[in-house]
Amino acid sequence: SVPLDCTYYPEAKLVALIVSLPSPHAPFLPEDGQSEPHAAYSYSLAGIEGAKDNHLDRHEVRIISPSTWTVLWSFPLLPGEKGISIQALHLKDYESGATVPMIAVGTSFAAGEDYPCSGRVILIEVTKQENNAWAGRMTYAREFKGPVTNVTAVEGYLLLSTGNRIETCMLKSKRVEVADANILFTLQRSAFYEGPSLITSLNVVKNFILLGD
C-alpha cells in the first residue's frame, strides 16, 4: 500500500492515514439516473475502467500503532472514491457542549471530465474495545457537491474546503436506543465563503483562516 496523507491522534498516541492499494476491480455504485446522457455515459465508462485487467486502485483509511506499525482498524472507501485529506481535530458538540476528539477525512469522486465531481466528509471516532484495544468507528458521512480537499477545525467548528468554497459545520450528537447505546453525530452547515478558484490548502491560526487556491 502507498501512504497518501496522515495525521497524529494524540489522545490514543496513534497514527491515522489514507492509503492506496491495488485490489480486484469493483463496480461503482449505481448512477442516480438524473444526469444528462453524456454525463451518465462518462460515469459508465469510468465504472468499467480497469475491468479488463481486473484492477482497481482502492483507497482506505487506517489507524495504526506507531510503536508496532500494526493496523488496528481500517475503513475502505467506495469504489472510485479517493481520499484527499485527513486530520485529527477537536469539535464542539453543540447538543451537549462537550469537546469531542475526531478524525475527519475528506474524499473526492471523479468519473470523467463530463461528470460532476463530488466528495464526502467522513467522521471517525476512536474508542477502546472490551479487550482494551483501540479501534475506529465511522460515526457520520456526508456528501458534498465538490471534492473535499481540506478538513480542519476552527473555534470548535468543522472547517472544510470543497471546490472553490469553504464551509463551517456544527457537530450535533444524538443517542440512539440500541443494544450498545451508540451516539450518532450529524453536521449542520453554518457559514460559507466562495473564492474565485479551487481551494488547495487551508490552515487555521488562532481564529484566522488562511487559504490558498
Side-chain angles (χ1 to χ4, degrees):
S1 60
V2 179
L4 303 175
D5 196 8
C6 67
T7 185
Y8 181 66
Y9 187 81
E11 283 75 14
K13 298 181 180 179
L14 301 175
V15 174
L17 67 161
I18 300 170
V19 300
S20 172
L21 64 159
S23 66
H25 181 266
F28 289 0
L29 294 180
E31 210 262 336
D32 59 14
Q34 300 179 0
S35 303
E36 296 179 358
H38 67 280
Y41 180 68
S42 177
Y43 187 90
S44 299
L45 286 180
I48 63 175
E49 184 180 359
K52 184 177 181 180
D53 55 3
N54 194 29
H55 174 79
L56 177 71
D57 285 328
R58 182 170 59 86
H59 286 200
E60 72 177 28
V61 180
R62 291 179 177 177
I63 296 176
I64 65 173
S65 168
S67 59
T68 61
W69 297 109
T70 55
V71 178
L72 305 178
W73 181 82
S74 63
F75 177 77
L77 300 183
L78 299 174
E81 187 178 27
K82 306 298 183 184
I84 300 180
S85 58
I86 186 169
Q87 186 68 45
L89 37 80
H90 293 84
L91 301 177
K92 181 179 178 181
D93 179 1
Y94 280 85
E95 285 294 330
S96 66
T99 299
V100 184
M102 286 275 185
I103 296 173
V105 181
T107 75
S108 72
F109 183 87
E113 61 182 18
D114 290 326
Y115 193 83
C117 183
S118 62
R120 287 197 300 168
V121 164
I122 301 170
L123 296 181
I124 297 169
E125 188 179 26
V126 180
T127 59
K128 267 195 173 181
Q129 305 302 299
E130 293 182 356
N131 60 0
N132 214 33
W134 291 102
R137 182 172 71 96
M138 196 276 284
T139 60
Y140 183 74
R142 178 169 186 161
E143 187 172 341
F144 288 81
K145 294 181 179 180
V148 181
T149 51
N150 298 277
V151 285
T152 186
V154 58
E155 301 279 319
Y157 291 87
L158 176 67
L159 175 66
L160 61 93
S161 61
T162 170
N164 68 326
R165 180 184 179 112
I166 61 173
E167 297 190 26
T168 57
C169 300
M170 301 168 57
L171 183 74
K172 292 189 174 183
S173 62
K174 179 177 67 173
R175 185 175 291 276
V176 293
E177 296 300 328
V178 292
D180 55 357
N182 282 336
I183 295 179
L184 301 181
F185 293 93
T186 61
L187 288 176
Q188 179 179 321
R189 291 170 165 173
S190 55
F192 71 92
Y193 166 80
E194 290 188 348
S197 57
L198 176 70
I199 295 172
T200 57
S201 60
L202 188 65
N203 286 284
V204 173
V205 180
K206 294 184 179 180
N207 59 347
F208 290 92
I209 299 171
L210 309 178
L211 60 89
D213 58 15

